[in-house]
Amino acid sequence: MSITVNPPPAVRSFPISRSPFPRSPRVTMLLRSTTISTAAALPVLTKLQLDCATPLPVLRHIADAMAADMRAGLAVDGGSDLKMILSYVDCLPTGNERGLFYALDLGGTNFRVLRTQLGGRDDRVIATEFEQVSIPQELMSGTSEELFDFIASALANFVKKEGGKFVLPNGRSRETGFTFSFPVKQTSIDSGILIKWTKGFSVSGTPGKDIVACLNEAMGRQGLDMRVSALVNDTVATLAGARYWDNDVLVAVILGTGTNACYVESVDAIPKLQGHKSSSGKTIINTEWGAFSNGLPLTVYDRAMDAESINPGEQLFEKTISGMYLGEIVRRVLVRMAETGSLFGKHIPQKLQTPFALGTPNISSMQQDTSEDLEAVGSILYEVTGVDSNLDARRMVVDVCDTIAKRGGRLAGAGIVGILQKMEEDSKGVVFGRRTVVAMDGGLYEHYPQYKRYLKEAVAELLGPELSSHVVIEHSKDGSGIGAALLAATNSIYEH
Ligand code: BGC
């Protein structure tokens, strides 16, 4: 298999430095600082821990409410916070797929293109190549045409480099899967209307439009002959990619910049589904669980961040558990500690007061610092937020990071149990008591060990030792790229 090695896409990527931070002379000097008082900041931490607590009854409520909201969203469109979107993916890859297929992946600050040559049951994936382009910030809030022209031109350049093991039979058009990781109301497997942007995107002219039509028009402008055979969410692509290798995969979850989950549902359990025929009797439902809100343990920091966001009142689960927001919540707590408790001395640097200055990769890196004087924590705080810190202050900062990561991980775990619970309630034995795989992807899950541990602990606490021993929570790294190409193959207009 040949793979062009590129960094993974940003939507699910989460670069976290594992190398120890260089010893900074400034940090040593700061240890002697006397203007820093941590005692006064302690009540802020105590209150935060109280407000973010997720004991078993809270987790149970979240799991039950998730299951109930799923049901309400399946009953009727608009029936709950959860949109429970029909993916029109009724057949998952079998391993028999053959031929050359492309995949496009748009979901965050990077856009990725991939091609794969599939060799059927025996040869499986013969070759894969991908390229990644970062999306200029201005395009994330520009016009629809600008964004799609950018995508189509990157795709056209990539297609020009096709060769070697990649072979398109004569007389065929190239086919692609399009992973579009935003809430889309699918109208068929290859069309869908954008409901709204999430994750900081606010491109004008796209909401309410067919995404595939936007892409087709832009490909036309580039003179590119390519057919979009499957429009899929990243969770659906991840599920398809993981299922290619393992038949027990029933659920896929993305925990990266944003968050979402999808799962295999029986068509009989979808009252709102009218006139949709599925040969398998099953279909994949994209829950869009980022919009879940029932009973979340929220703090003043979450509420303030939400109020100032571009989508107030929306995506509350996402704002509580996903990578785009965890660092920002921590930053807001630190500002409060600095203001009320002089945690970092009298002066509060501008950098600390800048929204989103502290990223989730930063808070994860701080939690990985095992040195006695928390030197890396001091360096990150200084470099990223401009604050001076003594050892007590750093310890307190790590406690804040842990509190926010713990709440996020445990709530995500409860969400997963909610999905499994709903599936089992409808069809006894479908999940519990047999091996069930939850395919996970996303940089937050991949690169924040404490978060991942908290998530798994919550699942085990809720299910108990016997049931949880059959539930495999497995990382499916970048499965969504191949997954989208596989779904393009499954839905190809040509024989396969
Ligand atoms: C989007 C989902 C997507 C998730 C993970 C959310 O913001 O609404 O469609 O699956 O992010 O990328």
Side-chain angles (χ1 to χ4, degrees):
M1 184 199 287
S2 78
I3 295 187
T4 309
V5 180
N6 277 322
V11 60
R12 289 179 287 279
S13 88
F14 228 75
I16 286 170
S17 160
R18 295 193 188 282
S19 59
F21 269 73
R23 180 166 282 272
S24 143
R26 176 158 185 92
V27 170
T28 316
M29 181 199 85
L30 291 170
L31 284 171
R32 292 195 294 270
S33 168
T34 50
T35 52
I36 295 173
S37 135
T38 48
L42 194 58
V44 179
L45 176 62
T46 311
K47 170 101 172 75
L48 179 77
Q49 287 168 331
L50 206 68
D51 292 347
C52 288
T54 48
L56 197 53
V58 170
L59 293 183
R60 192 141 274 149
H61 170 82
I62 298 293
D64 290 346
M66 184 68 78
D69 274 9
M70 287 169 71
R71 242 175 248 294
L74 289 173
V76 51
D77 273 339
S80 85
D81 285 342
L82 269 56
K83 296 207 160 50
M84 304 302 283
I85 296 169
L86 216 59
S87 68
Y88 289 85
V89 172
D90 301 338
C91 294
L92 285 162
T94 57
N96 293 325
E97 296 75 14
R98 282 176 177 280
L100 168 64
F101 294 95
Y102 277 75
L104 321 183
D105 187 339
L106 178 71
T109 47
N110 283 345
F111 164 66
R112 194 158 71 142
V113 281
L114 171 148
R115 68 182 139 244
T116 187
Q117 187 75 35
L118 302 172
R121 185 147 294 279
D122 295 333
D123 295 331
R124 295 273 168 153
V125 180
I126 296 170
T128 304
E129 279 180 351
F130 63 88
E131 266 177 23
Q132 178 172 289
V133 205
S134 62
I135 302 197
Q137 189 67 32
E138 63 273 16
L139 287 190
M140 290 168 66
S141 52
T143 68
S144 193
E145 266 198 11
E146 285 163 351
L147 178 66
F148 282 94
D149 278 346
F150 177 83
I151 292 172
S153 123
L155 178 60
N157 286 335
F158 183 63
V159 170
K160 277 188 202 138
K161 295 180 218 154
E162 183 188 287
K165 292 185 178 163
F166 300 96
V167 190
L168 184 74
N170 277 340
R172 288 192 176 188
S173 295
R174 287 179 184 80
E175 292 183 290
T176 190
F178 184 16
T179 304
F180 186 76
S181 310
F182 299 94
V184 163
K185 172 140 181 57
Q186 297 257 169
T187 37
S188 70
I189 183 65
D190 57 5
S191 61
I193 311 288
L194 175 66
I195 301 171
K196 61 178 182 189
W197 290 107
T198 54
K199 295 176 283 199
F201 274 70
S202 62
V203 176
S204 63
T206 339
K209 288 249 180 77
D210 179 1
I211 291 306
V212 176
C214 294
L215 179 63
N216 280 338
E217 284 160 22
M219 289 196 297
R221 289 192 287 271
Q222 291 291 329
L224 183 62
D225 174 25
M226 175 145 345
R227 184 179 170 270
V228 177
S229 346
L231 171 68
V232 287
N233 184 259
D234 51 354
T235 52
V236 177
T238 299
L239 195 144
R243 183 66 170 252
Y244 186 60
W245 304 105
D246 186 340
N247 259 328
D248 293 338
V249 178
L250 292 182
V251 180
V253 175
I254 300 288
L255 284 161
T257 306
T259 184
N260 193 8
C262 75
Y263 70 106
V264 180
E265 181 59 284
S266 301
V267 288
D268 301 344
I270 314 175
K272 72 177 176 185
L273 196 160
Q274 279 158 4
H276 177 80
K277 300 263 177 294
S278 155
S279 52
S280 63
K282 305 271 180 201
T283 193
I284 311 296
I285 295 289
N286 164 14
T287 64
E288 283 295 336
W289 82 359
F292 176 78
S293 65
N294 189 336
L296 293 174
L298 299 180
T299 65
V300 286
Y301 311 103
D302 302 299
R303 294 185 201 284
M305 178 180 74
D306 174 48
E308 290 165 33
S309 72
I310 55 170
N311 51 354
E314 291 178 10
Q315 299 293 103
L316 292 184
F317 196 46
E318 178 159 278
K319 285 172 180 160
T320 319
I321 73 167
S322 88
M324 179 158 171
Y325 303 99
L326 300 189
E328 171 61 7
I329 303 168
V330 168
R331 185 196 66 82
R332 285 171 180 267
V333 179
L334 299 188
V335 170
R336 171 68 63 90
M337 288 176 150
E339 282 167 358
T340 60
S342 302
L343 185 65
F344 308 114
K346 287 212 170 68
H347 172 65
I348 305 178
Q350 193 52 46
K351 270 186 177 175
L352 180 64
Q353 298 181 58
T354 307
F356 292 92
L358 189 68
T360 305
N362 299 134
I363 69 166
S364 175
S365 293
M366 289 198 274
Q367 275 206 264
Q368 310 321 313
D369 185 358
T370 50
S371 69
E372 239 168 63
D373 57 358
L374 296 180
E375 195 178 344
V377 175
S379 296
I380 294 171
L381 282 174
Y382 179 69
E383 267 148 43
V384 178
T385 66
V387 302
D388 294 345
S389 57
N390 65 18
L391 185 55
D392 285 345
R394 291 176 205 166
R395 286 205 180 107
M396 204 168 270
V397 170
V398 173
D399 282 344
V400 173
C401 298
D402 189 60
T403 306
I404 298 304
K406 184 173 184 177
R407 178 184 65 165
R410 286 174 66 82
L411 291 176
I416 292 174
V417 172
I419 293 181
L420 297 175
Q421 205 171 295
K422 147 77 177 78
M423 294 168 81
E424 178 72 13
E425 277 163 15
D426 283 5
S427 180
K428 283 263 161 309
V430 71
V431 172
F432 294 150
R434 60 182 290 264
R435 183 172 178 272
T436 298
V437 179
V438 180
M440 309 289 299
D441 202 7
L444 174 59
Y445 182 78
E446 187 180 355
H447 296 299
Y448 204 153
Q450 287 83 356
Y451 183 98
K452 181 173 171 173
R453 200 187 68 224
Y454 287 134
L455 181 154
K456 290 191 171 183
E457 278 173 10
V459 172
E461 262 175 56
L462 278 165
L463 294 181
E466 164 57 18
L467 292 183
S468 64
S469 68
H470 300 285
V471 173
V472 184
I473 299 183
E474 205 163 69
H475 183 208
S476 157
K477 189 167 167 52
D478 292 334
S480 78
I482 287 279
L486 286 164
L487 289 170
T490 313
N491 294 287
S492 166
I493 48 167
Y494 304 108
E495 257 182 59
H496 51 94

